[in-house]
Amino acid sequence: MIYPHRYGNICGEQRMLHRTMKQELLDVKFMSEAMAQAHEASLAGEVPVGAVVVMGDEVIARAQNRKESDKDPTAHAEILAIREAANRIGSWRLSGATIYVTLEPCPMCAGAIVQARLDRLVYGAADPKTGAAGTIFDLPRDMRLNHWVSVTGGVMAEEAGALLEKFFSNKR
């Protein structure tokens, strides 16, 4: 049984993973870079979601939503960032990497994160409609799969949520 809590599900247990202060600072630093990508997406008329892939302390890929621009339903920030990172390192296996994304990934993106063998997912705002990293589904930590991803949610959630709310209120 999976029990929901504020930052998503953790396969059968309700517990918080304690991050070190250094890790918390790095999470905010890299989430800020993902937020910059989300701002750019918003300016381009795209849903403001941004993602960065980090290996060690280096950003190896940056992307933003481009579904409208590319007329491609798979052009989510996470997918584009994963593709760029894989091209950069010359392998589809992104072991040792972390992806930072401003909105909890959808099922497609969560599946791609698992398939790319990323070690860690850090997201900002939870997605109550399609969140697949703990809110509706929990693909990264599904023990039935052959790879599991560590998940930290809620990093800069207020800022990420506010950007999305502003974007959609301007659309109405």
Side-chain angles (χ1 to χ4, degrees):
M1 176 171 243
I2 297 177
Y3 301 96
H5 61 84
R6 185 171 170 203
Y7 298 107
N9 302 325
I10 301 180
C11 298
E13 294 180 41
Q14 234 184 351
R15 63 184 167 97
M16 294 287 294
L17 295 177
H18 297 287
R19 297 180 293 155
T20 65
M21 182 63 92
K22 179 183 178 194
Q23 188 61 61
E24 287 181 18
L25 292 172
L26 286 172
D27 287 351
V28 170
K29 172 187 172 184
F30 293 123
M31 186 60 73
S32 295
E33 294 199 34
M35 286 294 297
Q37 292 295 311
H39 281 288
E40 287 183 30
S42 182
L43 294 174
E46 299 280 355
V47 174
V49 177
V52 296
V53 177
V54 175
M55 193 162 284
D57 287 340
E58 178 188 359
V59 174
I60 62 169
R62 291 176 175 79
Q64 58 193 263
N65 270 3
R66 290 198 324 242
K67 282 175 59 172
E68 300 300 328
S69 305
D70 293 359
K71 296 172 184 36
D72 178 356
T74 68
H76 290 203
E78 301 95 325
I79 300 293
L80 298 172
I82 289 168
R83 285 180 186 157
E84 183 181 325
N87 284 333
R88 176 140 185 226
I89 69 165
S91 173
W92 63 267
R93 287 184 182 88
L94 299 176
S95 300
T98 297
I99 188 165
Y100 292 83
V101 60
T102 57
L103 180 65
E104 180 182 7
C106 70
M108 174 183 69
C109 294
I113 289 165
V114 171
Q115 289 298 313
R117 307 298 193 265
L118 285 146
D119 284 359
R120 188 163 175 251
L121 159 66
V122 179
Y123 70 85
D127 185 344
K129 293 184 179 181
T130 64
T135 301
I136 303 297
F137 306 104
D138 197 358
L139 292 176
R141 294 175 288 212
D142 189 324
M143 294 301 193
R144 296 169 294 184
L145 301 177
N146 64 337
H147 177 76
W148 307 287
V149 178
S150 173
V151 178
T152 302
V155 176
M156 296 181 67
E158 289 180 20
E159 296 92 330
L163 182 60
L164 286 159
E165 286 177 16
K166 180 180 176 188
F167 176 82
F168 286 112
S169 70
N170 289 340
K171 287 281 187 192
R172 293 183 187 122

